[in-house]
Amino acid sequence: MWGATGGVDGEVAANIRLGLSAFYSSADIDENGAGANSISTVDSYGAVAYMSYRPGTWYVNGSLGYGFNNYESSRSSLGGVNVADYDGSQFVARAEAGRMFTSGAFDITPNVGLRYNLVDVDAYTETGPLPTSVNGRTIESLRAVGGVNFRYTAELDGGSKLIPELGVKVLSELADPDEAITGSVVGGGAFTTQQTARDDVSYGVLGGLTFEGVNGVTLRVTYDGEFQSDYEEQSLSAAIRIAF
């Protein structure tokens, strides 16, 4: 999976920043395990509006986003390949609050938040030797998040800063996103496929390194991982920020 994001933000009032960003991502998904016979590509694009209120040592962050997804899938069947091309959409909302405690060059920030995802996937019918028609579905997730971040700020010669950071978090699912996939074989009977349920609780880790230059340019590299008993999600990202 890879993606790109670009945006702009600014201070609109004392301690309040607002911003808007656009994103694009592309992911290739290969089915694994016994009987695996399908691959999919998901292309996504959309926009996110975000805000931050930081009057002192504590803060509140929030964001709202909407995106469009395009799915292309292929599945082996009867010596041939069934293919499908269909669309979907996604709404996301996040809120987080935290407080920073500082001691010299070290700081620690406990934080709590909520993450909401609503994904709609359109109905589609495959083409191929044994095609299926799959009903549209909606997947809803609401997760509570609690964690703590640790950071050290090193002052460099010339006034620049180098900031390593480490964070841990716990995420708890409050909704029921494990919806079954339903449909029918073209010219045949109906079917129901229950997705493998994910754990209600998962654990995450964050690592990062930030360089803040005196010329208003900031470079940041981050790692973000989430882990469950039979599922894991890991990402590596790099960002550049230019202050005018």
Side-chain angles (χ1 to χ4, degrees):
M1 177 178 179
W2 67 274
T5 301
V8 60
D9 62 65
E11 191 170 40
V12 298
N15 307 314
I16 299 177
R17 299 187 71 88
L18 295 179
L20 182 66
S21 66
F23 67 86
Y24 173 81
S25 67
S26 181
D28 293 322
I29 304 169
D30 295 327
E31 187 179 30
N32 293 320
N37 67 346
S38 67
I39 58 174
S40 300
T41 298
V42 184
D43 293 321
S44 304
Y45 59 93
V48 178
Y50 54 94
M51 63 80 63
S52 176
Y53 177 59
R54 194 178 294 263
T57 58
W58 64 276
Y59 69 90
V60 176
N61 293 336
S63 64
L64 294 173
Y66 191 83
F68 300 93
N69 303 322
N70 174 255
Y71 305 85
E72 294 182 359
S73 65
S74 62
R75 180 175 60 87
S76 300
S77 177
L78 297 180
V81 177
N82 292 330
V83 298
D85 189 335
Y86 52 102
D87 298 314
S89 62
Q90 182 171 358
F91 171 77
V92 296
R94 290 192 177 189
E96 179 182 295
R99 188 182 190 281
M100 180 183 293
F101 298 88
T102 302
S103 177
F106 294 90
D107 61 63
I108 178 173
T109 306
N111 55 81
V112 295
L114 288 173
R115 300 181 180 184
Y116 177 76
N117 276 33
L118 180 65
V119 179
D120 286 314
V121 182
D122 293 348
Y124 65 91
T125 298
E126 297 176 318
T127 58
L130 187 61
T132 60
S133 292
V134 178
N135 298 329
R137 57 195 177 107
T138 298
I139 305 157
E140 188 174 30
S141 171
L142 176 64
R143 298 200 291 176
V145 185
V148 59
N149 295 337
F150 305 89
R151 191 174 69 166
Y152 174 77
T153 301
E155 299 280 352
L156 305 178
D157 292 340
S160 299
K161 298 178 181 180
L162 191 64
I163 308 171
E165 60 183 301
L166 176 67
V168 293
K169 60 189 174 185
V170 178
L171 305 94
S172 178
E173 180 62 64
L174 305 178
D176 183 17
D178 301 314
E179 180 180 319
I181 299 173
T182 62
S184 62
V185 178
V186 175
F191 66 85
T192 298
T193 301
Q194 184 64 51
Q195 293 180 294
T196 302
R198 290 175 54 178
D199 298 345
D200 288 335
V201 177
S202 57
Y203 305 92
V205 61
L206 168 73
L209 183 64
T210 301
F211 173 79
E212 293 184 357
V214 295
N215 57 355
V217 176
T218 299
L219 305 175
R220 189 167 189 243
V221 178
T222 57
Y223 163 83
D224 195 0
E226 181 182 337
F227 304 91
Q228 299 182 3
S229 59
D230 57 357
Y231 171 87
E232 66 179 47
E233 181 178 315
Q234 303 182 69
S235 64
L236 184 67
S237 62
I240 180 170
R241 181 183 178 89
I242 303 174
F244 297 96

